[in-house]
């Protein structure tokens, strides 16, 4: 099916980092635009000034760029429908609200906040859901403007039509909302700013948006939007409401998950795109994974490049069932992507991780980082590399030794590990070449002479050098640490031998 002149939009509010669910919405819109040679608009919905968070815009734009979801129109790019910040479009909204007022499709609502609160309390007392009732008679436009001129805080409400509303949706089919479930709603707040509903509808029309792909949590907003489109003579875009993303336990994936975890003293789960970036995930893996949340390419395909996903993307393959965010599957995806991307791409990604996470890896040059990528093959995330290489920036006389590793590797068999270290000190001090191949040959020969397996040599060295039994290959560990630090750390643990034994 060929779709002409596609225009889609992603319209986040500047309230913090980009939520992974928002990233899924942005991705699906981006994919649809790219599939049909259309335009992807980034619009910033910032009319609710009370929710605005400083630096949020920069964070959102940075998250989008990291994912590779570049926009055709919007902030920093411009376009024929500028401005793309709703806070800069107030005059446009005011003109359209005036037209609705004059046509009788909207009206001034003069209730005070206290009066509205009393109405809600009365409904609660009767165990009823509060529903705003249209005043009869309605205030005239002149009365409303006179009230505003007198300093009263008034709102403007849209008058919903007296019929059921029908939404045609590409995912859910025909959705009918009975008239009794609908009420007149505010389109202009007391401070003069438009509500989300009104600004969204006006902008979609003026920016030429042809398709609206957004989460199912917006489904009950859509009848309001369709009603306003009809009242103002606007086109109705094609709607596709995407499945809601849940955790594996069935709870909704929310930013509050982090707050709850922190309150309990737990490590918070990754929720925002930035969280995954700081945790050492690749954007290729994250995009690949979230593309499968509510969409399927068919033929049991899963791991695909972004280009392959564009080619396969089709609205007919969107599902309505709730999507489950399987973190184990994401980790598996990331492991596979780490194994197949080019060394150059992985180096760039590792440097990005180091810069945003505050990792000590940022102190190393490109040659060393490329070396670390090679010798840590099989890592799942860049955090694994950081954890395995933490010994490199540890202070020699501050290494903490894992008690279990000391007992198992050094003290077991009448202190065989300590004896091996004592034997190694002088040999390593006098070994001429401090390169991986030479050290590998040296340790291999030593094992043959002693009649032991490599582990009998490598593991005592690991505990002495890192405090644990985990590190890159032992030859590379020695090279990275250098002769001086290697000998200093072996000497230290031998000096502490008796203290460790008593501890």
């Amino acid at each position: 099916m060929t779709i002409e002149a596609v225009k889609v939009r992603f319209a986040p509010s500047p309230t913090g980092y980009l939520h992974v669910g928002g990233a899924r919405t942005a991705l699906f819109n981006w994919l649809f635009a790219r599939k049909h040679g259309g335009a992807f608009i980034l619009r910033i919905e910032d009319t609710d000034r009370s929710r605005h968070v400083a630096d949020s815009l920069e964070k959102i734009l940075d998250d989008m760029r990291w994912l590779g979801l570049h926009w055709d129109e919007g902030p920093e790019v411009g376009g024929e429908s500028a401005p793309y910040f709703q806070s800069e479009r107030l005059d446009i909204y005011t003109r359209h609200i005036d037209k609705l007022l004059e046509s009788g499709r909207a009206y001034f609502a003069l209730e005070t906040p206290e009066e509205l609160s009393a109405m809600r309390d009365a409904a609660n007392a009767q165990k009823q859901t509060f529903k705003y009732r249209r005043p009869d008679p309605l205030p005239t436009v002149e009365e409303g403007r006179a009230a505003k001129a007198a300093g009263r805080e008034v709102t403007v409400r849209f008058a919903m039509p007296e019929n059921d509303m029908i939404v045609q949706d590409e995912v859910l089919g025909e959705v009918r909302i009975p008239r009794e479930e609908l009420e007149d709603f505010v389109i202009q707040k007391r401070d003069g700013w438009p509500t989300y509903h009104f600004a969204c509808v006006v902008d979609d029309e003026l920016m030429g948006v042809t398709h609206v792909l957004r989460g199912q949590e917006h489904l009950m907003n859509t009848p309001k939007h369709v009603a306003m489109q009809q009242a103002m003579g606007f086109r109705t875009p094609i709607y596709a409401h995407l499945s809601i993303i849940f955790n594996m336990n069935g709870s909704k994936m929310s930013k509050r998950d982090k707050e709850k975890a922190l309150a309990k003293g737990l490590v918070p789960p990754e929720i925002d795109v930035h969280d995954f970036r700081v945790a050492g995930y690749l954007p290729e893996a994250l995009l690949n994974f979230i593309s499968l949340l509510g969409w399927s390419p068919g033929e049991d395909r899963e791991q695909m490049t972004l280009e392959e996903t564009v080619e396969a993307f089709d609205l007919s393959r969107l599902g309505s069932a709730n999507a489950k965010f399987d973190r184990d599957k994401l980790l598996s995806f990331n492991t596979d992507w780490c194994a197949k991307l080019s060394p150059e791409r992985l180096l760039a990604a590792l440097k990005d991780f180091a810069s945003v996470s505050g990792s000590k890896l940022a102190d190393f040059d490109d040659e060393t980082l490329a070396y670390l990528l090679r010798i840590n093959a099989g890592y799942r995330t860049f955090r694994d590399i950081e954890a395995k290489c933490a010994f490199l920036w540890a202070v020699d006389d501050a290494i903490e030794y894992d008690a279990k590793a000391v007992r198992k590797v050094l003290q077991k068999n009448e202190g065989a590990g300590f004896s091996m270290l004592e034997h190694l000190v002088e040999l390593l001090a006098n070994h001429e070449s401090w390169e991986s191949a030479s050290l590998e040959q040296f340790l291999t020969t030593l094992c043959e002479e002693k009649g032991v397996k490599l582990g009998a040599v490598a593991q005592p060295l690991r505990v002495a050098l890192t405090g644990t039994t985990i590190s890159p290959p032992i030859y590379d560990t020695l090279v990275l640490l250098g002769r001086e630090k290697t000998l200093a750390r072996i000497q230290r643990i031998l000096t502490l031998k008796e203290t460790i034994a008593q501890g």
Side-chain angles (χ1 to χ4, degrees):
M1 176 177 67
T2 301
I3 302 176
E4 301 294 338
V6 163
K7 261 198 174 185
V8 294
R9 48 80 169 173
F10 176 57
S13 297
T15 57
Y17 285 111
L18 180 62
H19 185 277
V20 72
R24 194 270 306 260
T25 298
L27 171 62
F28 282 12
N29 278 280
W30 187 91
L31 290 170
F32 189 70
R34 293 294 174 267
K35 175 66 178 288
H36 297 287
F40 174 62
I41 301 171
L42 180 62
R43 186 172 75 218
I44 306 302
E45 297 190 341
D46 58 348
T47 59
D48 189 345
R49 309 307 289 173
S50 65
R51 298 179 63 230
H52 187 93
V53 177
D55 300 330
S56 288
L57 176 63
E58 291 76 11
K59 292 174 180 177
I60 291 170
L61 299 185
D62 199 32
D63 289 339
M64 294 280 287
R65 283 189 288 260
W66 181 72
L67 289 170
L69 302 180
H70 301 289
W71 49 101
D72 304 303
E73 299 180 29
E76 300 181 350
V77 175
E80 60 186 16
S81 300
Y84 294 93
F85 293 87
Q86 289 188 334
S87 59
E88 299 175 10
R89 299 171 65 84
L90 186 58
D91 289 346
I92 297 172
Y93 306 134
T94 301
R95 289 199 301 270
H96 283 84
I97 286 173
D98 286 343
K99 289 179 181 178
L100 283 177
L101 286 167
E102 296 296 339
S103 70
R105 294 305 303 270
Y107 58 90
F108 285 104
L110 307 182
E111 299 90 356
T112 66
E114 292 76 18
E115 289 171 334
L116 284 172
S117 180
M119 293 177 192
R120 292 190 181 90
D121 291 343
N124 291 335
Q126 298 177 21
K127 297 183 179 180
Q128 296 177 349
T129 301
F130 172 70
K131 181 180 178 184
Y132 180 83
R133 295 186 180 279
R134 185 181 302 171
D136 186 17
L138 285 175
T140 65
V141 175
E142 291 72 21
E143 289 172 336
R145 287 176 176 158
K148 287 185 70 174
R152 289 180 59 180
E153 293 185 343
V154 301
T155 62
V156 175
R157 287 182 180 263
F158 178 77
M160 285 295 286
E162 298 298 327
N163 54 264
D164 295 352
M165 292 299 301
I166 296 175
V167 174
Q168 297 292 344
D169 188 82
E170 293 296 297
V171 179
L172 304 172
E174 181 180 287
V175 180
R176 180 181 291 270
I177 299 89
R179 174 65 183 92
E180 56 268 22
E181 294 182 12
L182 302 170
E183 64 179 342
D184 296 353
F185 55 94
V186 175
I187 59 174
Q188 187 180 54
K189 294 173 284 188
R190 288 180 172 82
D191 58 9
W193 287 95
T195 59
Y196 153 76
H197 300 295
F198 188 76
C200 170
V201 166
V202 171
D203 287 346
D204 283 350
E205 170 70 13
L206 299 185
M207 293 181 181
V209 172
T210 60
H211 296 72
V212 174
L213 281 61
R214 60 187 182 190
Q216 282 183 26
E217 61 269 21
H218 287 285
L219 180 61
M220 291 312 295
N221 294 332
T222 307
K224 300 176 182 179
H225 298 179
V226 172
M228 286 189 288
Q229 290 156 1
Q230 294 172 349
M232 290 187 282
F234 291 171
R235 300 165 298 103
T236 293
I238 294 172
Y239 286 98
H241 287 89
L242 312 173
S243 60
I244 298 174
I245 301 175
F246 283 84
N247 293 309
M248 293 301 288
N249 64 6
S251 63
K252 190 174 179 180
M253 195 174 179
S254 166
K255 291 189 177 184
R256 286 188 292 273
D257 292 346
K258 290 199 289 185
E259 298 170 5
K260 293 175 183 176
L262 288 170
K264 295 179 181 178
L266 303 175
V267 176
E270 298 92 357
I271 299 294
D272 298 321
V273 168
H274 188 73
D275 297 334
F276 291 96
R277 187 179 181 185
V278 169
Y281 284 83
L282 289 162
E284 290 88 345
L286 185 60
L287 282 172
N288 186 184
F289 176 75
I290 63 175
S291 75
L292 302 176
L293 299 177
W295 173 77
S296 170
E299 300 177 354
D300 294 325
R301 285 191 296 169
E302 286 196 326
Q303 294 191 17
M304 301 184 296
T305 65
L306 197 55
E307 292 75 18
E308 291 169 335
T309 307
V310 168
E311 182 62 30
F313 192 76
D314 192 280
L315 296 185
S316 67
R317 301 201 66 86
L318 292 172
S320 59
N322 295 333
K324 292 291 186 71
F325 199 94
D326 187 341
R327 294 174 182 276
D328 290 337
K329 185 172 183 177
L330 171 59
L331 188 60
S332 176
F333 269 40
N334 202 72
T335 304
D336 291 342
W337 276 96
C338 286
K340 64 187 178 184
L341 287 178
S342 70
E344 295 76 18
R345 171 65 194 121
L346 289 171
L347 175 60
L350 179 60
K351 290 171 67 176
D352 175 79
F353 158 74
S355 68
V356 300
S357 66
S359 172
K360 290 288 188 179
L361 291 170
D363 296 336
F364 296 120
D365 58 24
D366 286 7
E367 183 179 358
T368 302
L369 291 176
Y371 185 26
L372 294 180
L373 285 166
R374 289 196 303 273
I375 65 176
N376 284 286
Y379 57 90
R380 301 170 303 169
T381 70
F382 293 137
R383 282 287 183 197
D384 290 346
I385 295 178
E386 181 186 53
K388 272 192 173 184
C389 297
F391 69 93
L392 291 175
W393 49 83
V395 178
D396 293 342
D397 59 3
I399 297 291
E400 295 183 2
Y401 304 105
D402 179 74
K404 183 178 179 181
V406 170
R407 288 194 302 271
K408 182 178 179 180
V409 176
L410 300 181
Q411 295 175 333
K412 192 176 180 180
N413 297 327
E414 299 181 345
F418 279 120
S419 298
M420 181 59 71
L421 290 175
E422 290 168 349
H423 182 65
L424 279 166
V425 170
E426 185 176 354
L427 294 177
L428 287 172
N430 296 321
H431 188 69
E432 293 185 6
S433 174
W434 205 260
E435 296 179 353
S436 182
S438 176
L439 289 167
E440 180 177 4
Q441 182 59 52
F442 162 71
L443 294 182
T444 300
T445 302
L446 177 62
C447 289
E448 292 173 352
E449 292 174 352
K450 292 286 186 179
V452 297
K453 294 182 178 180
L454 180 60
V457 178
Q459 289 299 75
L461 277 173
R462 280 198 175 92
V463 175
L465 304 182
T466 73
T468 73
T469 56
I470 300 172
S471 80
I474 193 61
Y475 326 111
D476 297 303
T477 298
L478 292 168
V479 170
L480 286 164
L481 197 58
R483 188 193 305 268
E484 183 178 343
K485 283 181 172 290
T486 294
L487 296 175
R489 293 187 185 190
I490 295 175
Q491 292 284 12
R492 177 173 182 259
I493 199 169
L494 290 175
T495 301
L496 297 174
K497 177 180 176 181
E498 298 302 323
T499 304
I500 293 174
Q502 293 173 4

